[in-house]
Amino acid sequence: MLKKFEIQGIHADVDDALKKHVTKKIASLDRYMSRHSRESAHAEVFLKESKAKNNNGCTCEVTLFLPHQTIVVKESAHTMYTAVDIVETKLKQRLQIYKDKHGNGRFHRHLVARFRRKTG
């Protein structure tokens, strides 16, 4: 679980069931982070509800502050639960890219060494 985690509702009621769902989905994304970034990760979740006729009703925006990068994912859907689920899958993909880019390089070094042993 993320240690620093905030949920804010803008024009929306954030009841206990929704808060529990968001915590389950978003706060448990720390397993997709490296150990180094887990300690200083901070997440802010904004849940907005729109009353416009031509707009999807609910928007979920998650800002994830990591050591070298800030990841922002925003998604709209008809229900708040659906928006949170879609944001979770997008965050998983973005965290994988972040982990590949800012990893410690140990995996790459071992892979190159193994390749050299097989060819040499």
Side-chain angles (χ1 to χ4, degrees), residues 7-12 14 18 22 45-51 55-62 73-87:
I7 301 172
Q8 296 179 359
I10 302 171
H11 302 294
V14 182
L18 182 60
V22 170
V45 180
F46 298 103
L47 303 172
K48 302 174 189 173
E49 198 166 329
S50 176
K51 301 295 182 188
N55 192 1
N56 283 338
C58 303
T59 303
C60 177
E61 180 179 350
V62 177
V73 177
K74 186 176 184 180
E75 187 62 40
S76 296
H78 291 289
T79 65
M80 199 66 76
Y81 294 98
T82 308
V84 170
D85 292 342
I86 295 170
V87 165

Side-chain angles (χ1 to χ4, degrees), residues 2 26 29-30 32-34 37-38 40-46 60-75 86-102:
L2 290 172
I26 305 298
L29 288 174
D30 65 342
Y32 297 101
M33 296 181 213
S34 64
S37 60
R38 242 181 248 165
S40 61
H42 173 74
E44 292 179 351
V45 180
F46 298 103
C60 177
E61 180 179 350
V62 177
T63 306
L64 189 62
F65 299 99
L66 297 170
H68 299 287
Q69 187 177 356
T70 301
I71 299 173
V72 179
V73 177
K74 186 176 184 180
E75 187 62 40
I86 295 170
V87 165
E88 179 203 13
T89 58
K90 286 185 177 184
L91 271 174
K92 284 180 186 177
Q93 294 170 353
R94 294 267 184 97
L95 283 172
Q96 185 62 43
I97 293 169
Y98 173 81
K99 194 173 179 181
D100 291 342
K101 186 176 180 181
H102 297 290

Side-chain angles (χ1 to χ4, degrees), residues 6 9 28 104:
E6 299 174 14
S28 64
N104 58 4

